[in-house]
Amino acid sequence: METLIPASTTMCANYRPSSRETLAALPLPPPDFAYEEAYPGSVVPIVTNFAPRLWVPAAFGLIPSWAKDTKIVRSTYNARAETVGEKPSFRSAWQHGQLCIIPAEVLYEPCYETGKAVRWAIRRADGKPMGIAGLWERKLDETGEPTWSMTMLTINADYHPLMRRFHKPEDEKRTVVILPDDAWGDWLRTKSENTARALLRGFDVSGFVTEAAPR
């Protein structure tokens, strides 16, 4: 799949997935496929409630069953939690409870505090994976093999002590949902919309580090 690089002002369009070595420390076999720094269209590891004991390769950007091609990932790599049950691209995955966790080593976001966009890196100080709450889709290709795709769920961050620093001053502040370590299982086992929404909240900034990371 072609990797697509969007404008730097969009919400979480660029991140570094956790390495296979880091994921090997978790109680799952590490991914058996290659991946790199991710942009919409990149193949990345996720763990789903469909196959909760397996890392699967998924496109960064949800590809609904009705999509004619993969170009839709340009606009489906993030899903607003407030409207995820209404938008055609995400409605089916949300209503069917197709939840996943996306492991990230580093998130990249633009900071305008200097008056211009500077890419900043956000990571855990301990180097452990950030488990990002997401949705998945699964389709069978012409050979009957499954192909996966995903989107990251986002919430308002106007008052988040860290994530409100990013994006243009006039833009609404948004953040992905970084699940606490002890909530990974809760997220994948969630059976109701109300329970899922209760887990969609801002993350505690203690234990996180940020720094400018220009290209």
Side-chain angles (χ1 to χ4, degrees), residues 20-63:
R20 282 178 285 181
E21 293 74 19
T22 299
L23 295 180
L26 300 178
L28 293 175
D32 61 359
F33 50 90
Y35 54 91
E36 299 176 339
E37 186 172 325
Y39 298 89
S42 297
V43 172
V44 298
I46 66 171
V47 64
T48 72
N49 57 359
F50 180 88
R53 303 296 299 171
L54 180 69
W55 296 109
V56 298
F60 182 18
L62 201 76
I63 305 172

Side-chain angles (χ1 to χ4, degrees), residues 122-126 130 160-162 178-181 202-210:
I122 304 157
R123 58 167 60 87
R124 284 176 56 154
D126 60 13
M130 295 178 280
H160 191 272
L162 173 60
I178 301 175
L179 298 164
D181 290 350
F203 61 93
D204 183 351
V205 299
S206 62
F208 282 78
V209 294
T210 59

Side-chain angles (χ1 to χ4, degrees), residues 20 39 50 57 65 69 102 117 120 144 150 159 164 175 186 210:
R20 282 178 285 181
Y39 298 89
F50 180 88
S65 60
D69 54 45
I102 303 142
W120 274 57
M150 66 80 171
Y159 300 101
R164 68 185 181 188
T175 181
D186 293 339
T210 59

Side-chain angles (χ1 to χ4, degrees), residues 66-80:
W66 48 261
K68 295 181 179 179
D69 54 45
T70 62
K71 292 180 180 179
I72 196 170
V73 300
R74 300 172 189 261
S75 59
T76 60
Y77 51 89
N78 290 161
R80 293 174 65 95

Side-chain angles (χ1 to χ4, degrees), residues 11 80-82 109 122 153-169 171-177 200-203 205:
M11 177 65 209
R80 293 174 65 95
E82 297 89 342
E109 296 290 355
I122 304 157
L153 288 162
T154 71
I155 58 175
N156 179 271
D158 285 344
Y159 300 101
H160 191 272
L162 173 60
M163 301 305 288
R164 68 185 181 188
R165 296 180 59 188
F166 303 111
H167 300 279
K168 292 181 178 180
D171 289 349
E172 179 196 3
K173 310 307 178 185
R174 305 289 298 177
T175 181
V176 295
V177 176
L200 298 178
R201 53 181 183 265
F203 61 93
V205 299

